[in-house]
Structures are given as structure tokens and as C-alpha cells.
Amino acid sequence: QITLKESGPTLVKPTQTLTLTCTFSGFSVDTSGVGVGWIRQPPGKALEWLALIFWDGDKRYSPSLKSRLTITKDTSKNQVVLTMTNMDPVDTATYYCAHSTRLPQCSGGKCYYFDYWGQGTLVTVSS
Amino acid sequence: QSVLTQPPSASGAPGQRVTISCSGSSSNIGSNTVNWYQQLPGTAPKLLIYSDNQRPSGVPDRFSGSKSGTSASLAIIGLRSEDEADYYCAAWHESLKNWVFGGGTKLTVL
């Protein structure tokens, strides 16, 4: 059974750096064809993909946020960590981590889809 | 403004069939597979359809996905009150090198 859970601060001040941890069970992020990603959702708005780390250590970032994001994995702890610098009130959102699986007979980042999601954590950016 | 365009709302009576559209371009839907997510009120998104028309284990066959050209659709038959949720389409965008989501469609069961 695959489960994921996000943890981190619920409130950050503008200009601060946000660090979120995704702790998971039921899979290894080192398994071929597996990835863990982050997606956020501002209150009442649509989903926005942020970053994804693949089983082989490769990483993908949203081009619009790439300069502010870093994603890493710690296989021994079954964790994936996302850091976002220079937080702004517009970054207020629920942040989700999600397990990603690669389609069969397919290669490249486009072949992955998000099949298991964490419950999400609401992060508010305010002074 | 989302890269993938969905109608903001849809509705249907119990037992009816409803479809939700997702319009994109040759850079996303036209060249890559589409996934659909269901988000019940106050909960995390759940994968409903992947690879255009594949249902994960446990998803009822009342839900189906299709794609033609640069548009995709989610169909729900035998509508139930528990289907009332937000539905999102998603696809990989080639030129942006980015997963893009639709703006979401709020489904109301009358």
C-alpha cells in the first residue's frame, strides 16, 4: 500500500525559504520507473505542478519557478524534500506530494503520471 | 489562465451521463497522453484516468476517457451524488517541458 504525507511549516514570512518533506511508504524512490513530485493548489484555484525527482536522480522543475526550487531525495529515510526560496503571499497554497509511475514502453519525463497523492499541507505566506 | 481549457462547471441529474472536455494544443494533448483527476471537497486529488483512457484499479467503469486530436473528454455515466467534485485534466507540455493542468470543472449532481 502506497502512502505519502507532507510535513513542514504552516506559516512562513515573505522572503523566507520554505522546506517541505514528503515521507512515504510502500515503495522505494530508487525503483526503476518511479518518481515523486510536488504539486500545489492555491485556495479555490487550479493545480500547478512544481517539481519531480526520478528514480535515477534526474530532476524536472516548473520553468516558471525553476530558479526558486530544489528537490532532493533521501532513500534511506523514504523522503523527498522540496525547498522554495523567496516566498511571497502568492505562494500561499496547499502543497501536495505525489508518487509517479512511468507508462510501459515509454521513456522520458512525459511518460510519468501521478497516481498516489498525499493529503496535502496548507502553507500560508504572511508577515 | 490554464494551458488546458476546461469548462468551469458541469451538471447532471442522478443516473444521467455527463461529459467534461479538455482542450489543448499540439504541444500537449496532441502529442502526449492525458490524465484525469477527481478532487472531492476538502480532499486531495485522486487519479481517475491515465494514458487517455486507462482506469486504475478500483475506479468504477462508469468513468471513461477519450481523446481526439488536441482535445480530450471525461465521461461519467449513471451519475451519482458522490460524483460531485472538481475534475482536472493534465498532460505533459513538450515545449514548456512542464506538466500542465486544466483549470478544473466543478461537477454538480442536481
Side-chain angles (χ1 to χ4, degrees):
Chain A
Q1 180 191 3
I2 291 176
T3 63
L4 306 98
K5 188 172 184 179
E6 307 84 354
S7 59
T10 57
L11 179 66
V12 297
K13 290 180 167 47
T15 76
Q16 286 187 335
T17 294
L18 171 69
T19 299
L20 293 173
T21 301
C22 176
T23 304
F24 53 84
S25 63
F27 69 96
S28 170
V29 72
D30 284 349
T31 299
S32 178
V34 167
V36 174
W38 288 91
I39 301 100
R40 71 179 178 180
Q41 185 175 36
K45 295 187 177 181
L47 301 165
E48 178 186 19
W49 171 72
L50 300 176
L52 178 63
I53 189 163
F54 300 97
W55 60 280
D56 59 359
D58 193 13
K59 305 170 186 180
R60 293 282 188 275
Y61 295 103
S62 167
S64 63
L65 294 167
K66 186 175 182 178
S67 63
R68 299 173 54 203
L69 296 173
T70 302
I71 189 170
T72 60
K73 62 183 173 98
D74 187 329
T75 305
S76 63
K77 293 182 180 179
N78 278 353
Q79 291 180 335
V80 168
V81 175
L82 180 76
T83 60
M84 180 181 290
T85 61
N86 195 25
M87 293 293 285
D88 183 273
V90 299
D91 296 314
T92 294
T94 296
Y95 287 75
Y96 297 99
C97 66
H99 173 279
S100 185
T101 296
R102 185 179 61 199
L103 292 168
Q105 283 90 49
C106 186
S107 62
K110 67 179 184 179
C111 303
Y112 287 75
Y113 59 95
F114 302 105
D115 48 1
Y116 298 92
W117 295 58
Q119 65 187 27
T121 185
L122 176 61
V123 178
T124 301
V125 185
S126 175
S127 53
Chain B
Q1 191 84 1
S2 301
V3 175
L4 303 181
T5 301
Q6 297 180 238
S9 63
S11 63
Q16 282 190 333
R17 179 180 188 271
V18 66
T19 61
I20 297 172
S21 62
C22 175
S23 178
S25 71
S26 57
S27 295
N28 42 64
I29 293 177
S31 52
N32 296 300
T33 61
V34 177
N35 309 311
W36 288 91
Y37 298 91
Q38 176 193 58
Q39 187 174 32
L40 297 170
T43 70
K46 168 192 168 185
L47 180 66
L48 208 57
I49 298 287
Y50 68 97
S51 192
D52 297 336
N53 54 20
Q54 301 299 302
R55 277 187 311 276
S57 174
V59 172
D61 58 6
R62 300 187 298 108
F63 296 91
S64 64
S66 63
K67 188 177 82 173
S68 178
T70 59
S71 293
S73 292
L74 172 71
I76 309 171
I77 61 173
L79 207 56
R80 298 181 179 182
S81 58
E82 56 260 39
D83 297 333
E84 196 159 278
D86 293 325
Y87 293 84
Y88 293 92
C89 59
W92 175 258
H93 194 291
E94 289 293 343
S95 59
L96 296 176
K97 292 291 185 279
N98 199 36
W99 276 273
V100 290
F101 288 88
T105 298
K106 184 175 183 61
L107 175 63
T108 300
V109 181
L110 302 170

